[in-house]
Amino acid sequence: MPFFTRKRLALSQPSFDVVTTDLLFPEGPIALPDGDALVVELHRKTLTRVGTDGTRTVVAEVGGGPNGAAIGPDGRVYIANSGGLGRFEVGPYAFAGGTPDDYVTGSLQAVDLATGAVETIYTECDGSQLRGPNDIVFDAHGGCYITDHGKSDGVVADRGRIFYCAADGSSITLVASDMNAPNGIGLSPDGSRLYVSETYTARVWWWDVVAPGEITGGRTLAGSGDANFLWGSGDFRYLDSLGVEADGNVCVASLATPGICVISPDGDLVDFVAIDTDGDPGITNICWGGDDMRTAFVTASSTGKLLRFEWPRPGLALNNQSHAAVI
């Protein structure tokens, strides 16, 4: 069924475990080889380890506003740090947005899991400040793509950008610009496509990767230029982060209508996995781990939870995922 039709899709509603609660806007989950998970807590300004039993341990105080995270080729955790987002609450739900008073800059950081040491790798590109880095994915060549969501004061908003970075701090390159709040980012299983979700347009883009850090094209995979468009499940949504399954499906976290949109590489809506945990509208990220890569971790950010699922298909094993040192 084409992704853009208005026909209502039958929704999946899987059972899940709540691994832990009381996180301060968790994002960027990483599944570790021993079954634990890492998350960044945007409003606690930390990288946090969550044990299989739900115990929480702060690995590092990173400051700013950590949004996305990925294991780098050296085994460190690289963090797309937005520089901070304001916190506001509506009823029982927390949200993140705007530019806080203590904002200085966005950055790409690296955290040593064994020591908790934090290194800031980049704060600018060719003299232009990183405004609000949001998500990150490493390729097979040791470099990473990051989205820069930008900043807004409620009246004026930055145009979003995508950068390609060498992990060792030697180079950062602008590869796409003039986007509307780019958020999640991922690569196809063979590394030939780069996927990016835009939050407010509810659109997923893709480019051909022609060489490390070189992309061409820029086409809509799914969604609409109008966030009020009724796609797939027929409900209003924004888009947050994304992950990729081993078979190439793109799984995009859906805000407002909470769940995960599963989109084929051809742009068809394969499934919408509805997620209801105390009505949390802020389903923001998904990743996979376990021996068969079918254990999915999902962040329910507005109620501060990390969820664990048995996913129907294996997720893609990310570059460097097995490199994480044991804490």
Side-chain angles (χ1 to χ4, degrees):
M1 183 183 73
F3 189 79
F4 47 82
T5 62
R6 293 176 181 261
K7 181 178 179 181
R8 184 174 290 270
L9 184 77
L11 308 183
S12 298
Q13 294 181 316
S15 60
F16 55 83
D17 298 322
V18 177
V19 184
T20 198
T21 59
D22 298 322
L23 298 166
L24 293 184
F25 214 88
E27 294 231 49
I30 298 171
L32 296 176
D34 63 357
D36 290 358
L38 295 168
V39 296
V40 292
E41 294 186 71
L42 194 155
H43 288 136
R44 189 168 274 134
K45 306 182 180 183
T46 61
L47 175 66
T48 302
R49 184 175 185 134
V50 180
T52 55
D53 60 354
T55 9
R56 301 184 303 275
T57 306
V58 171
V59 177
E61 306 270 356
V62 300
N67 266 111
I71 304 294
D74 57 2
R76 293 190 296 175
V77 175
Y78 285 72
I79 293 175
N81 194 313
S82 69
L85 290 168
R87 180 180 177 88
F88 58 98
E89 297 179 359
V90 179
Y93 307 121
F95 298 92
T99 307
D101 292 339
D102 60 355
Y103 171 77
V104 177
T105 185
S107 64
L108 179 66
Q109 302 170 301
V111 176
D112 186 310
L113 288 177
T115 67
V118 181
E119 179 185 3
T120 298
I121 311 295
Y122 301 103
T123 59
E124 62 177 42
C125 175
D126 296 329
S128 177
Q129 181 188 46
L130 300 184
R131 296 284 291 160
N134 189 285
D135 203 3
I136 177 172
V137 64
F138 275 91
D139 65 14
H141 305 280
C144 63
Y145 296 89
I146 62 172
T147 52
D148 190 332
H149 190 82
K151 288 294 182 185
S152 170
D153 62 6
V155 177
V156 178
D158 296 325
R159 299 299 291 172
R161 299 170 292 175
I162 303 170
F163 296 95
Y164 183 75
C165 311
D168 63 5
S170 61
S171 67
I172 177 171
T173 306
L174 177 68
V175 297
S177 60
D178 198 29
M179 300 192 71
N180 191 339
N183 195 316
I185 192 164
L187 289 162
S188 61
D190 63 1
S192 66
R193 280 188 177 190
L194 181 72
Y195 295 109
V196 172
S197 57
E198 284 185 332
T199 298
Y200 304 121
T201 63
R203 176 184 290 169
V204 181
W205 290 88
W206 71 276
W207 291 260
D208 289 305
V209 179
V210 297
E214 295 182 26
I215 60 175
T216 185
R219 286 156 280 185
T220 300
L221 178 73
S224 168
D226 176 4
N228 292 291
F229 190 86
L230 303 177
W231 33 285
S233 62
D235 295 305
F236 172 85
R237 74 186 74 248
Y238 288 142
L239 295 182
D240 207 283
S241 190
L242 63 83
V244 178
E245 294 181 346
D247 62 4
N249 289 334
V250 182
C251 298
V252 191
S254 170
L255 304 171
T257 299
I260 304 291
C261 302
V262 183
I263 310 162
S264 80
D266 295 325
D268 296 331
L269 183 63
V270 175
D271 194 4
F272 179 74
V273 180
I275 300 173
D276 185 0
T277 175
D278 297 325
D280 191 325
I283 302 302
T284 56
N285 296 257
I286 184 169
C287 75
W288 293 269
D291 292 339
D292 58 1
M293 292 299 290
R294 289 183 57 190
T295 300
F297 291 94
V298 170
T299 47
S301 298
S302 289
T303 54
K305 300 190 190 85
L306 179 65
L307 312 178
R308 183 171 52 214
F309 294 76
E310 180 70 15
W311 201 253
R313 297 164 299 275
L316 179 65
L318 296 177
N319 293 308
N320 314 315
Q321 186 169 348
S322 62
H323 293 181
V326 176
I327 301 174

